[in-house]
Amino acid sequence: MSSYHLQVVSMDGLDFDGEVQKLLLRTIDGDVEILARHTDYCTAIGMGTARVTMEDGTERKAACIGGMLSVLKGEVRVFPTTWEWSEDIDIERAKAAKAKAEERLSDQLLDKEARVRAEAKLYRALVRLGSTGHQDREL
Protein backbone atom coordinates (compact mmCIF):
# COMPACT_ATOMS: atom_id res chain seq x y z
CA MET A 1 0.00 0.00 0.00
CA SER A 2 1.23 3.50 -0.80
CA SER A 3 2.22 5.83 2.01
CA TYR A 4 2.12 9.58 2.55
CA HIS A 5 3.43 12.17 4.98
CA LEU A 6 1.37 12.87 8.11
CA GLN A 7 1.94 15.55 10.71
CA VAL A 8 -0.01 15.76 13.98
CA VAL A 9 0.49 19.08 15.75
CA SER A 10 -1.48 19.61 18.96
CA MET A 11 -1.31 22.38 21.52
CA ASP A 12 1.40 20.30 23.22
CA GLY A 13 3.60 20.44 20.10
CA LEU A 14 4.53 17.95 17.40
CA ASP A 15 2.95 14.60 18.28
CA PHE A 16 3.83 12.80 15.04
CA ASP A 17 5.77 13.50 11.85
CA GLY A 18 6.29 10.61 9.46
CA GLU A 19 5.09 8.30 6.73
CA VAL A 20 1.81 6.38 7.13
CA GLN A 21 -0.44 4.18 5.02
CA LYS A 22 -3.72 5.57 6.31
CA LEU A 23 -5.45 7.67 8.93
CA LEU A 24 -8.97 7.05 10.20
CA LEU A 25 -10.57 9.62 12.49
CA ARG A 26 -13.90 11.12 13.48
CA THR A 27 -14.88 14.45 11.94
CA ILE A 28 -17.92 16.53 12.78
CA ASP A 29 -19.65 14.88 9.80
CA GLY A 30 -18.64 11.29 10.61
CA ASP A 31 -15.60 9.06 10.23
CA VAL A 32 -13.15 9.69 7.40
CA GLU A 33 -10.23 7.59 6.19
CA ILE A 34 -7.33 9.29 4.44
CA LEU A 35 -5.26 7.20 2.03
CA ALA A 36 -2.37 8.20 -0.23
CA ARG A 37 -3.36 10.55 -3.07
CA HIS A 38 -6.50 11.73 -1.24
CA THR A 39 -8.12 14.78 -2.79
CA ASP A 40 -7.55 18.14 -1.09
CA TYR A 41 -9.83 18.30 1.91
CA CYS A 42 -10.38 20.30 5.10
CA THR A 43 -12.77 19.60 7.96
CA ALA A 44 -13.32 20.03 11.67
CA ILE A 45 -12.49 17.07 13.90
CA GLY A 46 -15.00 15.57 16.32
CA MET A 47 -14.24 13.33 19.33
CA GLY A 48 -13.13 9.74 18.90
CA THR A 49 -10.35 7.23 18.50
CA ALA A 50 -7.95 8.00 15.66
CA ARG A 51 -6.31 4.99 14.00
CA VAL A 52 -3.00 5.52 12.25
CA THR A 53 -1.64 2.69 10.10
CA MET A 54 2.10 3.16 10.00
CA GLU A 55 4.27 2.61 6.94
CA ASP A 56 5.17 -0.91 8.19
CA GLY A 57 1.46 -1.84 8.57
CA THR A 58 1.26 -1.61 12.36
CA GLU A 59 -1.60 0.39 13.84
CA ARG A 60 -1.45 3.01 16.59
CA LYS A 61 -4.50 4.49 18.27
CA ALA A 62 -4.96 7.88 19.85
CA ALA A 63 -7.71 9.77 21.63
CA CYS A 64 -8.39 12.67 19.27
CA ILE A 65 -10.64 15.49 20.42
CA GLY A 66 -11.51 18.57 18.38
CA GLY A 67 -9.41 20.57 15.94
CA MET A 68 -8.90 20.52 12.17
CA LEU A 69 -7.80 18.05 9.49
CA SER A 70 -6.14 19.33 6.33
CA VAL A 71 -5.15 17.46 3.16
CA LEU A 72 -3.35 19.73 0.73
CA LYS A 73 -1.21 18.60 -2.22
CA GLY A 74 -0.60 15.20 -0.64
CA GLU A 75 0.41 16.59 2.76
CA VAL A 76 -1.88 15.53 5.59
CA ARG A 77 -1.93 17.58 8.76
CA VAL A 78 -4.00 17.06 11.88
CA PHE A 79 -4.31 19.98 14.29
CA PRO A 80 -6.21 18.44 17.22
CA THR A 81 -7.18 20.23 20.38
CA THR A 82 -6.21 17.02 22.19
CA TRP A 83 -4.14 14.12 20.82
CA GLU A 84 -3.13 11.39 23.23
CA TRP A 85 -1.53 8.14 22.02
CA SER A 86 -3.32 5.20 23.63
CA GLU A 87 -0.13 3.91 25.24
CA ASP A 88 0.32 7.29 26.98
CA ILE A 89 -3.16 7.48 28.50
CA ASP A 90 -3.31 7.11 32.26
CA ILE A 91 -6.14 4.58 32.50
CA GLU A 92 -6.76 5.06 36.22
CA ARG A 93 -6.99 8.83 35.76
CA ALA A 94 -9.45 8.37 32.87
CA LYS A 95 -11.57 5.98 34.97
CA ALA A 96 -11.56 8.49 37.83
CA ALA A 97 -12.65 11.29 35.45
CA LYS A 98 -15.44 9.07 34.14
CA ALA A 99 -16.64 8.25 37.67
CA LYS A 100 -16.51 11.91 38.73
CA ALA A 101 -18.52 13.01 35.66
CA GLU A 102 -21.10 10.26 36.22
CA GLU A 103 -21.42 11.27 39.87
CA ARG A 104 -21.88 14.91 38.85
CA LEU A 105 -24.55 13.92 36.31
CA SER A 106 -26.50 12.01 38.96
CA ASP A 107 -27.18 15.33 40.75
CA GLN A 108 -30.82 16.10 39.98
CA LEU A 109 -30.32 19.78 40.88
CA LEU A 110 -27.56 20.34 38.33
CA ASP A 111 -28.27 23.35 36.10
CA LYS A 112 -28.21 23.05 32.31
CA GLU A 113 -24.74 24.59 31.83
CA ALA A 114 -23.15 22.38 34.49
CA ARG A 115 -24.87 19.31 32.99
CA VAL A 116 -23.47 20.09 29.52
CA ARG A 117 -19.96 20.46 30.98
CA ALA A 118 -20.28 17.19 32.91
CA GLU A 119 -21.55 15.37 29.80
CA ALA A 120 -18.57 16.68 27.80
CA LYS A 121 -16.16 15.50 30.51
CA LEU A 122 -17.83 12.09 30.56
CA TYR A 123 -17.58 11.77 26.78
CA ARG A 124 -13.88 12.78 26.80
CA ALA A 125 -13.18 10.15 29.48
CA LEU A 126 -15.04 7.54 27.43
CA VAL A 127 -13.02 8.43 24.31
CA ARG A 128 -9.77 8.15 26.24
CA LEU A 129 -10.77 4.77 27.73
CA GLY A 130 -12.05 3.53 24.37
CA SER A 131 -8.77 4.46 22.73
CA THR A 132 -6.90 2.20 25.15
CA GLY A 133 -9.27 -0.75 24.83
CA HIS A 134 -9.94 -0.56 28.59
CA GLN A 135 -13.62 0.23 28.41
CA ASP A 136 -15.82 -0.77 31.30
CA ARG A 137 -18.41 -3.47 30.60
CA GLU A 138 -21.32 -1.04 30.92
CA LEU A 139 -20.05 1.26 28.14
Side-chain angles (χ1 to χ4, degrees), residues 66-78:
M68 295 295 296
L69 164 68
S70 168
V71 181
L72 186 60
K73 298 180 182 173
E75 289 288 318
V76 180
R77 290 183 179 89
V78 179

Side-chain angles (χ1 to χ4, degrees), residues 86-126:
S86 61
E87 62 268 18
D88 297 334
I89 293 172
D90 181 336
I91 295 166
E92 294 309 313
R93 183 172 164 242
K95 285 181 179 179
K98 176 183 174 282
K100 185 175 179 180
E102 287 172 334
E103 180 181 339
R104 187 83 170 121
L105 287 168
S106 70
D107 181 353
Q108 298 300 317
L109 301 176
L110 203 59
D111 66 50
K112 185 177 179 179
E113 185 178 326
R115 182 164 302 281
V116 168
R117 281 195 311 270
E119 287 171 349
K121 287 179 181 184
L122 175 60
Y123 193 61
R124 282 192 298 273
L126 291 173

